[in-house]
Amino acid sequence: QVQLAESGGGSVQAGGSLRLSCQASGSMDSRNCMAWFRQVPGKEREGIASIAADGSANYTDSVKGRFTISRDNAKNSLFLQMNSLKPEDSAMYYCAAGHFVVCSNFARFLARGYNYWGQGTQVTVSS
């Protein structure tokens, strides 16, 4: 089993920055594909960034150029640097881990592609 725990959420004004962290424990495989998702009430969980073990990353258009995903395989950690935040970025943010193949196909931004989830950390951006 793999346990994931997010931290770093909070409230910030538009234009500000936050850095989210996710610590993995248990039987985490350093080859796993890892990703960040976000969700607002009444909407589906949205994949926004994924990263493979070799550091290759993908982003959805909504965050490209503003967010940066990174990982530290030695420490089983995942990060999301969020800059130029907008009110529409407000959501619960989740980290996820799945089989390494997920990062290389269309499922990288689909929740069903991931086996393990954290409990989430809230990000609120005010205008």
Side-chain angles (χ1 to χ4, degrees):
Q1 283 284 18
V2 174
Q3 293 80 42
L4 302 174
E6 303 93 339
S7 61
S11 297
V12 65
Q13 289 192 326
S17 299
L18 282 174
R19 180 177 170 85
L20 304 184
S21 299
C22 174
Q23 182 64 52
S25 59
S27 54
M28 178 68 181
D29 188 337
S30 62
R31 299 172 298 172
N32 281 357
C33 177
M34 299 194 76
W36 287 99
F37 284 73
R38 64 187 182 187
Q39 188 172 25
V40 297
K43 292 192 176 182
E44 290 188 358
R45 195 166 292 190
E46 172 194 20
I48 59 172
S50 68
I51 186 167
D54 65 0
S56 55
N58 286 277
Y59 302 90
T60 56
D61 289 344
S62 60
V63 305
K64 195 174 295 182
R66 300 187 299 122
F67 292 9
T68 302
I69 188 172
S70 60
R71 63 191 289 171
D72 183 335
N73 292 334
K75 297 182 178 179
N76 286 334
S77 298
L78 179 71
F79 306 98
L80 186 68
Q81 178 66 43
M82 304 187 295
N83 298 329
S84 302
L85 282 161
K86 305 175 182 179
E88 51 264 44
D89 293 319
S90 296
M92 185 71 78
Y93 283 71
Y94 299 89
C95 70
H99 193 274
F100 68 85
V101 71
V102 173
C103 271
S104 61
N105 65 44
F106 71 94
R108 65 174 69 96
F109 294 139
L110 300 179
R112 67 175 185 262
Y114 295 83
N115 308 103
Y116 304 105
W117 294 87
Q119 293 189 329
T121 186
Q122 179 68 40
V123 171
T124 303
V125 184
S126 58
S127 57

